[in-house]
Amino acid sequence: MFDNHRQDYVIQSNDPKGDEGFGKVLGFVICFVLFLGALQVAYDAVAGWYDAAVNWGRETAAYVASFWPF
């Protein structure tokens, strides 16, 4: 219906250094996010171990104290 034989062109700029830079930045961002995720998992694990150790110590101290006659 609207065929006026006009040709549309897509202009693509070939910038290999720009593409390489974008790839490096994107790779750095991905690695940084993975590092933050691993840091979060490690923190959660250590915090869980600490809480469990404190709870165990508290319960053990209460159990041992229950035998004292005072």
Side-chain angles (χ1 to χ4, degrees):
M1 180 171 166
F2 294 106
D3 190 16
N4 57 5
H5 301 291
R6 186 180 64 144
Q7 294 183 359
D8 294 330
Y9 294 99
V10 176
I11 298 174
Q12 181 177 357
S13 172
N14 290 332
D15 185 12
K17 287 190 178 186
D19 292 343
E20 182 180 343
F22 175 75
K24 285 183 179 181
V25 169
L26 187 63
F28 175 76
V29 168
I30 289 172
C31 288
F32 185 68
V33 169
L34 288 174
F35 170 74
L36 288 179
L39 198 64
Q40 180 69 40
V41 169
Y43 174 77
D44 289 343
V46 170
W49 292 338
Y50 176 76
D51 291 340
V54 168
N55 192 23
W56 177 83
R58 187 180 315 121
E59 290 179 2
T60 302
Y63 178 72
V64 169
S66 70
F67 290 110
W68 292 351
F70 306 114

